[in-house]
Each structure stands twice: as C-alpha cells, then as structure tokens.
Amino acid sequence: MKTTIKAGGAIILSGLLLAGCGGQAKASQTKPSSASQLTLMTKQIKNLYADSKYEMLAKGLSKSMLTKADNQKAKVYKLRGDLSKAQKRFLGSIKNNLLLQKKFFQFRAC
C-alpha cells in the first residue's frame, strides 16, 4: 500500500514538473531573438541605401520603407538588454541614421 502511494505521488510530481517545463518552453519559443531582430533591422536599413557604404539614398525610397525600418528599430530597442556592447553601439548609429533618413526624405519631398 505504501509503495502504491509513493509511486502515485512520484507520478503526480513528475507530471507537474513536466507540465511546468512545457509551459516554459512555449514561452521562450514565442520570445523573439534579439540577434534575429537585429539582422532583420540591418536588412531593412540596407534597403534604404543605393550602395553598401550607406552614402547614397535608394532611388525607390518611400515612407513605408522608412516606417518598416523604424518599427523594426523599436522592436530591437525593446530587446536592448540582450545585446552586446558592440550591438548596442550599432543600434545607436542606426537610430541616428534613421533620423537623418527621415530628414532627407522630408527635404526631398518638398
């Protein structure tokens, strides 16, 4: 009788542990990776320029392209705690870059 109670308790305890670990795995899967978000932001910033030196604006630069890049920057900014020092410096340069892009776009629209 005692072994049955111990076995039943062990089964219930292991079931609770597995259920708890399963919930943690799902939560971590939905959290976006800061590295993947940073990569996506870099791709969107490259689309804003005609050359790889980030000197000439792209010919087809549009407000929607700037908005997408700015929204992606905001997502990465929320995850800045997970970034390395170099990535944080890069994020800072991107913030400045996007501000300049918006000013140039507004100037060109006039």
Side-chain angles (χ1 to χ4, degrees), residues 41 73 76-77 83 87-95:
M41 183 182 68
K73 178 203 54 113
V76 173
Y77 189 76
L83 300 176
Q87 290 172 330
K88 286 180 183 178
R89 281 193 301 268
F90 178 69
L91 179 62
S93 69
I94 292 296
K95 284 171 53 177

Side-chain angles (χ1 to χ4, degrees), residues 9-45:
I11 291 172
I12 291 173
L13 183 60
S14 64
L16 290 173
L17 288 173
L18 288 174
C21 293
Q24 288 176 354
K26 289 179 184 175
S28 65
Q29 289 172 353
T30 58
K31 184 179 177 184
S33 165
S34 59
S36 65
Q37 294 294 324
L38 191 64
T39 303
L40 183 59
M41 183 182 68
T42 304
K43 287 179 184 177
Q44 288 179 346
I45 294 297

